Amino acid sequence: MVQVTMHDGSTIEAEVHGSGPTLLLPVDPQPVEGEQADEMRKWGTDPALGRSLIDGLSDVFQVVAFDYTGHVLSAPKPDTLTPGNVVADLLAVADAVQAERFAYYGYSWLALSGLQLAIRTDRLSALAMGGYPPYAGPYAEMLKVTMAAYEQAVSPTPAPAPQEKSSDDAFDWSSVEVSTTVEQSRQFVTLYEALRGFDDTAVRLSCPRLCFAGSDDAITYEERWGGVVVDLAGPLKRHRAELEALGWDVVVLDGLDHMSAMQAANMLPVLRPWLTAALLT
C-alpha cells in the first residue's frame, strides 16, 4: 500500500500487485459489499470489478490500482478538477511507485483522463481507453449532462418511477436519482468546462494505443439530464479508418453497452493480449 498526495493536498491509497511492466489502473481494488453490491448485480455489473482486473493482469504486469473515482467523490475538488490537475494526480501515483515509464488503462471519464495524460507526458509506454472515444468525443454533450447533474444536486426534482426491467435490458439512466452533493457534481462541470473547445482530432501520439467500446454504447438522457445522446461507440464506428491511420487499435464489442463492456469477462480478452503485445514483445 502506498499513500499518494493529490494536487489539492488530499491523499489516496494505491495498491501494487505483481511484477513486470507497470500499469496504472484507476479502479477500486476493494470489492463492494452489502446492498450496493446486490444492486450492482441486478444490472449485470461486477461489485469486485477492480479486483477482477487486478487478478486478470497482475500475473504479467505490475498493476498499480487506485480508486480515483472514489477519491474524487470522497474528497471533491469542485474548482480544481481540471485536466491538468487530473494528470498531475496520475503522475503523482506513478512517481509514488517509482515508475518512470508506465502504461495506463481507464474506462469512461477515466479513459478521457488517459488521453489528457498522454498529451501531457512522454512517460507513457501504452494507452488503453475503454468506453470513451479518443476521436470526435462527446465533450459538449457531457458538459450538458454534468451541468444538469449539478443543477439537480442544487435543486433536486423527483425522478419518474422506473419501469420493471429484465436482466437483459440496458441500464435505465433516466431512473437514476442524484445522490451526489453539490461539490461532487460541480467538479465534473469544472472538468468538462475546461475541455470546452478541446480538439481531439488534432491529437497525435506515439505510444501504442487501444480504444474500445460496446457496439451499443450510446446513452440517451431525458430533458432533466440535458436531453442529449452521449454516443460513445459511434465515433469508433464512423472514424475507424481515421483512428487506424493515426495508429490506434480499434475494437468494437458486439452487442455490449456502456455497463457491460467494462466488465472484466468482456474486456480482459481484449486488453490483456493487447497490453502483452504492446509491452512484452
Side-chain angles (χ1 to χ4, degrees), residues 52-83:
S52 297
L53 294 179
I54 293 168
D55 292 345
L57 295 167
S58 58
D59 63 321
V60 181
F61 308 102
Q62 177 177 266
V63 176
V64 182
F66 55 105
D67 185 11
Y68 193 61
T69 295
H71 170 75
V72 301
L73 292 177
S74 63
K77 310 163 198 315
D79 300 315
T80 64
L81 195 71
T82 62

Side-chain angles (χ1 to χ4, degrees), residues 33-145:
E33 298 178 343
E35 292 183 4
Q36 185 181 354
D38 293 338
E39 187 65 23
M40 292 174 70
R41 291 189 188 98
K42 288 180 183 178
W43 293 104
T45 59
D46 180 6
L49 176 60
R51 176 57 53 181
S52 297
L53 294 179
I54 293 168
D55 292 345
L57 295 167
S58 58
D59 63 321
V60 181
F61 308 102
Q62 177 177 266
V63 176
V64 182
F66 55 105
D67 185 11
Y68 193 61
T69 295
H71 170 75
V72 301
L73 292 177
S74 63
K77 310 163 198 315
D79 300 315
T80 64
L81 195 71
T82 62
N85 283 335
V86 170
V87 169
D89 289 345
L90 299 178
L91 290 175
V93 174
D95 291 342
V97 298
Q98 300 180 336
E100 180 58 31
R101 296 279 292 171
F102 57 91
Y104 176 92
Y105 163 67
Y107 194 86
S108 198
W109 82 277
L110 295 170
L112 172 158
S113 300
L115 184 62
Q116 294 299 311
L117 175 66
I119 65 177
R120 287 173 162 82
T121 185
D122 59 1
R123 294 168 61 182
L124 270 189
S125 56
L127 168 65
M129 295 176 60
Y132 200 95
Y135 190 98
Y139 293 93
E141 291 86 350
M142 283 307 304
L143 178 56
K144 287 185 178 181
V145 171

Side-chain angles (χ1 to χ4, degrees), residues 44-242:
T45 59
D46 180 6
L49 176 60
R51 176 57 53 181
S52 297
L53 294 179
I54 293 168
D55 292 345
L57 295 167
S58 58
D59 63 321
V60 181
F61 308 102
Q62 177 177 266
V63 176
V64 182
F66 55 105
D67 185 11
Y68 193 61
T69 295
H71 170 75
V72 301
L73 292 177
S74 63
K77 310 163 198 315
D79 300 315
T80 64
L81 195 71
T82 62
N85 283 335
V86 170
V87 169
D89 289 345
L90 299 178
L91 290 175
V93 174
D95 291 342
V97 298
Q98 300 180 336
E100 180 58 31
R101 296 279 292 171
F102 57 91
Y104 176 92
Y105 163 67
Y107 194 86
S108 198
W109 82 277
L110 295 170
L112 172 158
S113 300
L115 184 62
Q116 294 299 311
L117 175 66
I119 65 177
R120 287 173 162 82
T121 185
D122 59 1
R123 294 168 61 182
L124 270 189
S125 56
L127 168 65
M129 295 176 60
Y132 200 95
Y135 190 98
Y139 293 93
E141 291 86 350
M142 283 307 304
L143 178 56
K144 287 185 178 181
V145 171
T146 52
M147 279 295 298
Y150 171 67
E151 291 164 1
Q152 285 281 326
V154 172
S155 302
T157 58
Q163 297 180 347
E164 189 70 23
K165 288 185 174 289
S166 73
S167 59
D168 294 331
D169 287 332
F171 190 88
D172 183 9
W173 297 94
S174 298
S175 70
V176 175
E177 289 281 6
V178 171
S179 58
T180 54
T181 66
V182 172
E183 287 193 337
Q184 287 171 334
S185 54
R186 174 62 198 173
Q187 66 187 337
F188 292 105
V189 175
T190 296
L191 177 66
Y192 286 101
E193 280 185 333
L195 290 167
R196 193 197 302 264
F198 171 61
D199 182 9
D200 55 7
T201 66
V203 171
R204 301 293 183 268
L205 302 176
S206 59
C207 68
R209 45 211 180 273
L210 165 73
C211 57
F212 72 87
S215 63
D216 298 337
D217 193 348
I219 305 168
T220 301
Y221 290 90
E222 291 184 346
E223 284 301 319
R224 72 190 189 102
W225 295 115
V228 297
V229 176
V230 176
D231 188 358
L232 299 164
L236 300 191
K237 300 173 187 176
R238 292 190 297 271
H239 301 290
R240 185 168 198 145
E242 293 98 317

